[in-house]
Amino acid sequence: MPIFWRPQMSIGNEDIDSDHRYLILLINTVELVLRHPEKPEHVLQAFDELDYYARRHFDREERIQIAWGYIHYDEHKVEHQRLLDALAALRMRVETAVSAPGGRTDELAAQSGEISTFLRHWLIDHVMKTDMKLAELFRKRDPF
């Protein structure tokens, strides 16, 4: 079942909220291609796009945090790196499954539920627990 953006996910910064909406779309895409592992190149391409965009998003979010003087920036940056490391490890598992002799798509299909659950927690937990702390900052003042 796809993830849908809900207003309560908004942190009050259009750039960050827009990124979060796109990350949801990418996670939904990964889930979709995992349902059809007979096309492993699509699975890897979806993971690559998710990784690429997550890196861009985290960089943008960190620059915004610096501009706004966010006092928890260092901790937030460390969490971003942990999320990227976890995503890289997950992608490695997927790549191992699809590049094995015979392309173990059955193994990939068996792991699809676990992968989907991880990605949902990866994004939703971060947005709702960590990024939501930024909402108060954006409500308090204008950076300029």
Side-chain angles (χ1 to χ4, degrees):
M1 177 186 276
I3 303 169
F4 294 99
W5 174 263
R6 296 180 310 277
Q8 60 266 37
M9 297 170 89
S10 174
I11 64 162
N13 179 284
E14 187 51 40
D15 290 332
I16 294 173
D17 288 340
S18 179
D19 281 355
H20 288 165
R21 285 189 289 274
Y22 191 64
L23 286 166
I24 287 170
L25 175 100
L26 292 173
I27 287 173
N28 288 337
T29 300
V30 169
E31 288 184 359
L32 177 66
V33 297
L34 283 170
R35 290 187 197 137
H36 302 282
E38 64 276 1
K39 298 278 190 179
E41 66 276 11
H42 294 166
V43 176
L44 295 175
Q45 184 178 20
F47 265 94
D48 289 345
E49 181 61 24
L50 177 59
D51 178 72
Y52 171 77
Y53 199 81
R55 289 176 187 281
R56 287 187 56 208
H57 164 65
F58 290 159
D59 180 62
R60 181 177 8 263
E61 190 174 272
E62 290 166 9
R63 283 186 280 116
I64 290 169
Q65 289 175 17
I66 290 168
W68 283 74
Y70 186 53
I71 62 171
H72 301 292
Y73 165 78
D74 292 330
E75 298 144 38
H76 204 112
K77 184 174 177 65
V78 167
E79 183 170 335
H80 283 166
Q81 190 56 55
R82 277 195 304 255
L83 290 168
L84 290 172
D85 292 346
L87 183 61
L90 186 61
R91 193 219 185 266
M92 183 71 74
R93 279 179 48 198
V94 169
E95 185 173 6
T96 299
V98 300
S99 65
R104 299 184 325 223
T105 56
D106 55 333
E107 182 179 323
L108 187 57
Q111 294 180 28
S112 66
E114 178 187 345
I115 293 169
S116 294
T117 298
F118 169 81
L119 290 174
R120 287 167 176 269
H121 288 295
W122 181 82
L123 178 70
I124 302 302
D125 284 355
H126 179 71
V127 170
M128 297 306 291
K129 293 178 182 172
T130 304
D131 285 350
M132 200 52 69
K133 295 174 186 174
L134 293 166
E136 186 175 328
L137 177 71
F138 296 131
R139 283 191 299 266
K140 282 186 177 178
R141 64 180 175 85
D142 188 324
F144 304 104

